[in-house]
mmCIF file of all heavy atoms in Angstrom:
data_model
loop_
_atom_site.group_PDB
_atom_site.id
_atom_site.type_symbol
_atom_site.label_atom_id
_atom_site.label_comp_id
_atom_site.label_asym_id
_atom_site.label_seq_id
_atom_site.Cartn_x
_atom_site.Cartn_y
_atom_site.Cartn_z
ATOM 1 N N ALA A 191 -11.488 38.228 29.781
ATOM 2 C CA ALA A 191 -10.837 38.207 28.451
ATOM 3 C C ALA A 191 -10.699 39.615 27.908
ATOM 4 O O ALA A 191 -9.636 40.000 27.384
ATOM 5 C CB ALA A 191 -11.651 37.329 27.485
ATOM 6 N N SER A 192 -11.765 40.412 28.033
ATOM 7 C CA SER A 192 -11.717 41.806 27.562
ATOM 8 C C SER A 192 -10.616 42.593 28.280
ATOM 9 O O SER A 192 -9.905 43.394 27.678
ATOM 10 C CB SER A 192 -13.035 42.525 27.808
ATOM 11 O OG SER A 192 -14.048 41.941 27.014
ATOM 12 N N ARG A 193 -10.462 42.297 29.580
ATOM 13 C CA ARG A 193 -9.430 42.966 30.385
ATOM 14 C C ARG A 193 -8.051 42.666 29.811
ATOM 15 O O ARG A 193 -7.209 43.567 29.646
ATOM 16 C CB ARG A 193 -9.560 42.439 31.832
ATOM 17 C CG ARG A 193 -8.764 43.038 32.905
ATOM 18 C CD ARG A 193 -9.199 44.436 33.261
ATOM 19 N NE ARG A 193 -8.287 45.391 32.656
ATOM 20 C CZ ARG A 193 -8.481 46.674 32.549
ATOM 21 N NH1 ARG A 193 -9.587 47.215 32.988
ATOM 22 N NH2 ARG A 193 -7.580 47.425 32.003
ATOM 23 N N VAL A 194 -7.823 41.406 29.446
ATOM 24 C CA VAL A 194 -6.526 41.011 28.860
ATOM 25 C C VAL A 194 -6.300 41.793 27.553
ATOM 26 O O VAL A 194 -5.227 42.337 27.309
ATOM 27 C CB VAL A 194 -6.475 39.479 28.623
ATOM 28 C CG1 VAL A 194 -5.235 39.086 27.832
ATOM 29 C CG2 VAL A 194 -6.524 38.731 29.931
ATOM 30 N N TYR A 195 -7.328 41.835 26.707
ATOM 31 C CA TYR A 195 -7.190 42.506 25.400
ATOM 32 C C TYR A 195 -6.859 43.988 25.603
ATOM 33 O O TYR A 195 -6.014 44.564 24.909
ATOM 34 C CB TYR A 195 -8.478 42.406 24.571
ATOM 35 C CG TYR A 195 -8.879 40.998 24.231
ATOM 36 C CD1 TYR A 195 -10.225 40.631 24.136
ATOM 37 C CD2 TYR A 195 -7.920 40.013 24.027
ATOM 38 C CE1 TYR A 195 -10.596 39.306 23.844
ATOM 39 C CE2 TYR A 195 -8.306 38.685 23.732
ATOM 40 C CZ TYR A 195 -9.632 38.360 23.655
ATOM 41 O OH TYR A 195 -9.998 37.072 23.359
ATOM 42 N N VAL A 196 -7.547 44.628 26.579
ATOM 43 C CA VAL A 196 -7.308 46.036 26.824
ATOM 44 C C VAL A 196 -5.877 46.270 27.319
ATOM 45 O O VAL A 196 -5.201 47.202 26.887
ATOM 46 C CB VAL A 196 -8.389 46.585 27.814
ATOM 47 C CG1 VAL A 196 -8.000 47.955 28.329
ATOM 48 C CG2 VAL A 196 -9.741 46.656 27.129
ATOM 49 N N ASN A 197 -5.432 45.429 28.230
ATOM 50 C CA ASN A 197 -4.056 45.548 28.737
ATOM 51 C C ASN A 197 -3.050 45.395 27.612
ATOM 52 O O ASN A 197 -2.049 46.114 27.550
ATOM 53 C CB ASN A 197 -3.774 44.525 29.839
ATOM 54 C CG ASN A 197 -4.512 44.864 31.112
ATOM 55 O OD1 ASN A 197 -4.981 45.990 31.304
ATOM 56 N ND2 ASN A 197 -4.611 43.910 32.019
ATOM 57 N N ASN A 198 -3.310 44.440 26.732
ATOM 58 C CA ASN A 198 -2.398 44.220 25.605
ATOM 59 C C ASN A 198 -2.332 45.462 24.702
ATOM 60 O O ASN A 198 -1.266 45.833 24.206
ATOM 61 C CB ASN A 198 -2.863 43.038 24.772
ATOM 62 C CG ASN A 198 -2.517 41.693 25.438
ATOM 63 O OD1 ASN A 198 -1.650 41.662 26.293
ATOM 64 N ND2 ASN A 198 -3.217 40.648 25.061
ATOM 65 N N LYS A 199 -3.497 46.103 24.527
ATOM 66 C CA LYS A 199 -3.521 47.270 23.660
ATOM 67 C C LYS A 199 -2.733 48.421 24.273
ATOM 68 O O LYS A 199 -2.057 49.173 23.579
ATOM 69 C CB LYS A 199 -4.975 47.671 23.371
ATOM 70 C CG LYS A 199 -5.634 46.760 22.351
ATOM 71 C CD LYS A 199 -7.130 46.798 22.354
ATOM 72 C CE LYS A 199 -7.669 45.616 21.518
ATOM 73 N NZ LYS A 199 -9.072 45.375 21.691
ATOM 74 N N LYS A 200 -2.804 48.508 25.604
ATOM 75 C CA LYS A 200 -2.009 49.523 26.306
ATOM 76 C C LYS A 200 -0.521 49.279 26.101
ATOM 77 O O LYS A 200 0.277 50.167 25.835
ATOM 78 C CB LYS A 200 -2.333 49.477 27.820
ATOM 79 C CG LYS A 200 -3.467 50.421 28.189
ATOM 80 C CD LYS A 200 -4.036 50.111 29.536
ATOM 81 C CE LYS A 200 -3.195 50.573 30.683
ATOM 82 N NZ LYS A 200 -3.850 50.280 31.971
ATOM 83 N N LYS A 201 -0.140 48.000 26.223
ATOM 84 C CA LYS A 201 1.276 47.623 26.016
ATOM 85 C C LYS A 201 1.727 47.981 24.607
ATOM 86 O O LYS A 201 2.835 48.493 24.397
ATOM 87 C CB LYS A 201 1.436 46.102 26.236
ATOM 88 C CG LYS A 201 1.773 45.714 27.665
ATOM 89 C CD LYS A 201 2.165 44.264 27.696
ATOM 90 C CE LYS A 201 1.449 43.584 28.868
ATOM 91 N NZ LYS A 201 1.247 42.159 28.718
ATOM 92 N N ASP A 202 0.863 47.681 23.638
ATOM 93 C CA ASP A 202 1.223 47.961 22.236
ATOM 94 C C ASP A 202 1.412 49.474 22.040
ATOM 95 O O ASP A 202 2.347 49.888 21.328
ATOM 96 C CB ASP A 202 0.127 47.498 21.286
ATOM 97 C CG ASP A 202 0.038 45.982 21.245
ATOM 98 O OD1 ASP A 202 1.093 45.324 21.401
ATOM 99 O OD2 ASP A 202 -1.065 45.428 21.030
ATOM 100 N N CYS A 203 0.568 50.278 22.646
ATOM 101 C CA CYS A 203 0.693 51.734 22.534
ATOM 102 C C CYS A 203 2.051 52.159 23.061
ATOM 103 O O CYS A 203 2.748 52.960 22.416
ATOM 104 C CB CYS A 203 -0.415 52.431 23.304
ATOM 105 S SG CYS A 203 -2.003 52.438 22.464
#
Side-chain angles (χ1 to χ4, degrees):
S192 294
R193 187 70 258 167
V194 172
Y195 300 146
V196 167
N197 288 344
N198 284 340
K199 284 161 192 167
K200 269 164 76 177
K201 269 190 226 155
D202 291 330
C203 282

